[in-house]
Amino acid sequence: MWERIGAMVFKEVRQMARDPSTIAMMFFFPIIQLAIFGYAINSDPRHLPLVVEANDNSAFSRSIVSALRTTGYFDVTEVAGFYGRANQAIARGEAQFALTIPTDFARRLVRGDRPQVLLTVDATDPASTGPAVAAVNEAVARALARDLIGPLAGRQQGPPPVDVVLHRSYNPEGITSHNTVPGLLAIILSMTMVALTSMSVTRETEQGTMENLLATPLRPVEVMVGKIVPYFLLGFVQVCVVLAFAIVVFKVPFVGSLGLLLAATLLFTLVSLALGFTISTLVESQVQSMMASMLYLMPSILLSGFAFPYRGMPVWAQWLAELLPPTHYIRLVRGIMLKGWEWHQALVESGWLVVMLLVLGTVAVRRYRDTVA
């Protein structure tokens, strides 16, 4: 019996050795997981971009800004002195936090009136804001404890001398589904478009129908278009289903343009199909296609901002995330659905997707020409 089992094991090992690409992917997977979970994922994000709208250019305001810089939670990217800049930065996605200091802040503080400062938070990603909000209160208290001295020392008695008012923009109740459900559009489309399309050419080869395809007068571009159109229609149905569930079941607010969202979705779908077709021309079997698709999907889920805060990751992980189409599509979906983005606000993220489509489409067509040559 042991001899027969040994022979079977020897046969399986030899069969595995004939497919070194699959073995390499099997070793590559845990390395990627270790790198992402060990270095990139962080549930306590630091260095979040913060804009200060300092309508009162007093020593107290400057002291608060300095204290915020030393917390480690914030990167004060701008100290603006005109009204409306805080809301503008949050709407454009330029800042995660905005602190508005009113014009009469110093006068009311000296007078003992307990003035208010407004902390505006971009709550479209509520997971990234929790610890940082507490850090603002501590920073303000620390700054004023240093400045309220001499005749003003009495202001430190009793309640805090300044009232920090928190405003969660676009998701005031901090509902998690308002953040995750729009992001699911990107993940579901990636899972189906990339994974299914990546097997399109290898399936023809394994089933022995590639010769019949080559005997037709179809050009490489025509083959590519013919293969991705059915998946494109499937993706459109998926988008309609997810949007219906998001609005009807999960009550996700939709304050933007439906036409703009569909246009962005069309662009992202084409990028995903082009990527899947490119993978299909690079691998040799359907098993390799599935593993290559998983190799793309795993960082897309973990690094794109869908599951974990994008701004909580180290810089190298953010650069890697910028190369992933779901990162830009998730920003577009959240911006359009939750913030009501107009077309000009979506240009940057859409431009990234257009560049990716041109690059992947060119590579896919050239690789298919090499395959049929």
Side-chain angles (χ1 to χ4, degrees):
M1 181 184 71
W2 293 111
E3 292 181 355
R4 293 193 296 273
I5 292 177
M8 191 64 194
V9 170
F10 180 73
K11 175 254 182 192
E12 287 298 319
V13 171
R14 290 200 61 181
Q15 194 166 355
M16 289 174 58
R18 292 171 184 162
D19 191 1
S21 300
T22 302
I23 296 176
M25 289 183 184
M26 292 175 64
F27 282 103
F28 198 48
F29 265 122
I31 294 174
I32 291 182
Q33 289 178 333
L34 283 171
I36 291 178
F37 282 100
Y39 294 105
I41 302 301
N42 182 10
S43 59
D44 186 17
R46 304 293 181 106
H47 301 288
L48 299 169
L50 180 145
V51 168
V52 178
E53 183 184 311
N55 297 300
D56 171 71
N57 188 23
S58 65
F60 297 116
S61 299
R62 293 191 293 272
S63 181
I64 291 174
V65 172
S66 299
L68 289 170
R69 286 195 170 106
T70 61
T71 61
Y73 279 99
F74 306 105
D75 285 337
V76 181
T77 58
E78 180 181 353
V79 180
F82 58 92
Y83 178 76
R85 175 54 185 152
N87 290 332
Q88 186 184 62
I90 294 292
R92 292 178 176 175
E94 298 170 354
Q96 189 83 27
F97 291 84
L99 185 69
T100 304
I101 301 175
T103 53
D104 57 348
F105 176 75
R107 181 165 53 86
R108 297 191 61 191
L109 180 63
V110 171
R111 203 166 58 190
D113 287 346
R114 196 166 184 251
Q116 294 181 334
V117 294
L118 177 62
L119 178 63
T120 308
V121 180
D122 183 353
T124 55
D125 187 4
S128 64
T129 58
V133 170
V136 172
N137 289 289
E138 295 176 7
V140 172
R142 191 169 62 251
L144 296 181
R146 187 172 56 246
D147 291 346
L148 295 176
I149 55 177
L152 299 178
R155 304 288 183 269
Q156 299 192 45
Q157 304 298 323
V162 173
D163 183 16
V164 179
V165 179
L166 176 64
H167 173 61
R168 299 180 185 274
S169 294
Y170 313 115
N171 187 6
E173 297 176 355
I175 300 174
T176 305
S177 61
H178 290 186
N179 172 56
T180 56
V181 174
L184 269 177
L185 269 176
I187 302 306
I188 291 174
L189 286 175
S190 296
M191 292 177 67
T192 53
M193 299 297 101
V194 176
L196 294 179
T197 316
S198 67
M199 294 187 290
S200 58
V201 174
T202 53
R203 183 167 55 237
E204 299 279 0
T205 304
E206 290 189 345
Q207 293 179 350
T209 56
M210 178 60 80
E211 290 77 7
N212 297 336
L213 194 62
L214 297 178
T216 65
L218 288 170
R219 297 175 179 175
V221 174
E222 295 168 342
V223 173
M224 180 178 170
V225 173
K227 280 186 171 297
I228 66 176
V229 164
Y231 300 111
F232 174 78
L233 297 176
L234 175 64
F236 180 76
V237 174
Q238 287 181 324
V239 170
C240 293
V241 171
V242 174
L243 281 180
F245 267 80
I247 297 171
V248 177
V249 178
F250 295 101
K251 309 296 183 187
V252 177
F254 195 128
V255 297
S257 165
L258 177 61
L260 182 59
L261 178 63
L262 292 179
T265 303
L266 168 64
L267 183 58
F268 176 71
T269 303
L270 292 176
V271 173
S272 299
L273 292 171
L275 175 61
F277 198 86
T278 302
I279 293 175
S280 181
T281 61
L282 293 172
V283 298
E284 298 176 352
S285 67
Q286 294 187 64
V287 174
Q288 291 183 6
S289 298
M290 290 303 298
M291 298 193 70
S293 301
M294 292 175 62
L295 203 60
Y296 163 73
L297 289 173
M298 186 172 59
S300 295
I301 294 173
L302 298 176
L303 302 181
S304 63
F306 167 71
F308 299 97
Y310 169 84
R311 288 183 170 124
M313 297 185 295
V315 175
W316 65 267
Q318 293 184 11
W319 288 351
L320 180 60
E322 293 294 332
L323 300 177
L324 300 171
T327 302
H328 304 282
Y329 181 62
I330 287 174
R331 291 173 186 164
L332 283 170
V333 175
R334 288 174 178 167
I336 295 169
M337 290 187 68
L338 303 179
K339 297 182 177 180
W341 274 9
E342 302 290 342
W343 65 269
H344 63 276
Q345 294 171 302
L347 282 179
V348 174
E349 306 302 336
S350 301
W352 275 99
L353 292 179
V354 169
V355 171
M356 292 178 182
L357 177 61
L358 294 176
V359 172
L360 291 171
T362 303
V363 173
V365 172
R366 289 189 175 182
R367 283 293 309 171
Y368 181 73
R369 284 175 177 163
D370 294 340
T371 303
V372 300

